[in-house]
Amino acid sequence: ELKVEQNPLFLSMQEGKNYTIYCNYSTTSDRLYWYRQDPGKSLESLFVLLSNGAVKQEGRLMASLDTKARLSTLHITAAVHDLSATYFCAVVSGGTYKYIFGTGTRLKVLA
Amino acid sequence: GAGVSQSPSNKVTEKGKDVELRCDPISGHTALYWYRQRLGQGLEFLIYFQGNSAPDKSGLPSDRFSAERTGESVSTLTIQRTQQEDSAVYLCASSLFQEGGYEQFFGPGTRLTVL
């Protein structure tokens, strides 16, 4: 059964600092998604990573995928308060339709 | 509409009552998903539709839960004889193809509270 783990679960960081959120998954997959969820809101798609070595960047966020290591990272550069949210990764196991979500990382950026 | 819509946005019901939650996916999206999110938790997969068919219902927590989709469009998630443990936000998502790695687009969710 595909399992997806994120760490850390909670992250409190100062504005201007850099940090990385990790997403590990247990079985082969070449499709990984990152989502953002603000409190009381639904999920917003951030990145779609479809191949080994894929790297995508949007503003202060950069996501990468290493399918051999079964690892994706979401790197935050020079954090700002507006990035405070919960971030989820999701993986689709090869040949299936099920998206399995990680536990989420609750990020709080302190001014 | 431009995005996935869900109704009602909030539902408060008494234990033992039945509830129906509705999802209108993005027009043309063949795949539709239902998830449950308990407070402070991640997303729990419930069921998936490809067209009007649900190939895998194994994510439904019990036989009190059922879902249908008609016209490759609207889907309804029904919970019978609701229990307090059913309290959660129910999220619907749609995507263009289930095989092609296309991203899911989520609706705003229905917050269900069972008293």
Side-chain angles (χ1 to χ4, degrees):
Chain A
E1 181 184 341
L2 175 60
K3 293 187 179 179
V4 182
E5 294 185 347
Q6 287 181 237
N7 70 82
L9 298 182
F10 298 96
L11 176 57
S12 180
M13 58 191 297
Q14 296 288 331
E15 276 194 330
K17 298 292 186 182
N18 303 334
Y19 208 83
T20 300
I21 298 171
Y22 297 89
C23 174
N24 291 87
Y25 52 97
S26 61
T27 65
T28 302
S29 177
D30 57 2
R31 300 166 189 173
L32 191 137
Y33 306 79
W34 283 97
Y35 291 89
R36 168 182 173 146
Q37 186 177 38
D38 290 291
K41 305 285 187 177
S42 191
L43 277 75
E44 172 191 354
S45 177
L46 292 175
F47 299 109
V48 179
L49 302 169
L50 297 178
S51 61
N52 185 42
V55 177
K56 291 196 174 179
Q57 183 164 4
E58 179 74 33
R60 301 174 186 274
L61 300 177
M62 183 174 70
S64 65
L65 177 61
D66 182 343
T67 58
K68 293 179 181 178
R70 297 177 187 170
L71 170 70
S72 179
T73 60
L74 181 66
H75 187 72
I76 303 157
T77 301
V80 293
H81 180 70
D82 286 351
L83 290 179
S84 298
T86 299
Y87 294 85
F88 291 96
C89 64
V91 179
V92 177
S93 185
T96 77
Y97 48 83
K98 262 182 161 178
Y99 292 69
I100 305 299
F101 280 76
T103 48
T105 296
R106 191 173 299 176
L107 171 66
K108 186 173 183 179
V109 180
L110 305 174
Chain B
V4 179
S5 60
Q6 292 185 246
S7 60
S9 55
N10 280 284
K11 177 71 177 178
V12 180
T13 189
E14 294 180 348
K15 178 181 173 181
K17 301 281 189 181
D18 298 351
V19 295
E20 280 190 359
L21 312 180
R22 178 187 168 109
C23 172
D24 283 273
I26 293 173
S27 178
H29 279 196
T30 56
L32 186 148
Y33 300 77
W34 283 99
Y35 296 91
R36 179 170 69 180
Q37 186 177 31
R38 290 197 168 106
L39 187 63
Q41 308 272 320
L43 273 71
E44 177 186 358
F45 171 88
L46 296 180
I47 191 170
Y48 152 84
F49 287 91
Q50 177 62 20
N52 293 333
S53 300
D56 186 345
K57 304 178 182 179
S58 63
L60 295 176
S62 74
D63 59 8
R64 296 185 295 105
F65 287 71
S66 63
E68 65 175 18
R69 187 181 185 194
T70 56
E72 297 195 357
S73 181
V74 172
S75 176
T76 303
L77 177 68
T78 301
I79 309 174
Q80 296 178 309
R81 305 181 301 281
T82 52
Q83 304 292 314
Q84 289 181 333
E85 70 218 36
D86 299 334
S87 295
V89 175
Y90 290 82
L91 292 165
C92 173
S94 69
S95 68
L96 197 53
F97 292 117
Q98 60 92 4
E99 293 284 347
Y102 285 71
E103 64 192 295
Q104 295 183 315
F105 294 86
F106 281 83
T110 294
R111 183 176 301 276
L112 175 65
T113 304
V114 182
L115 301 176

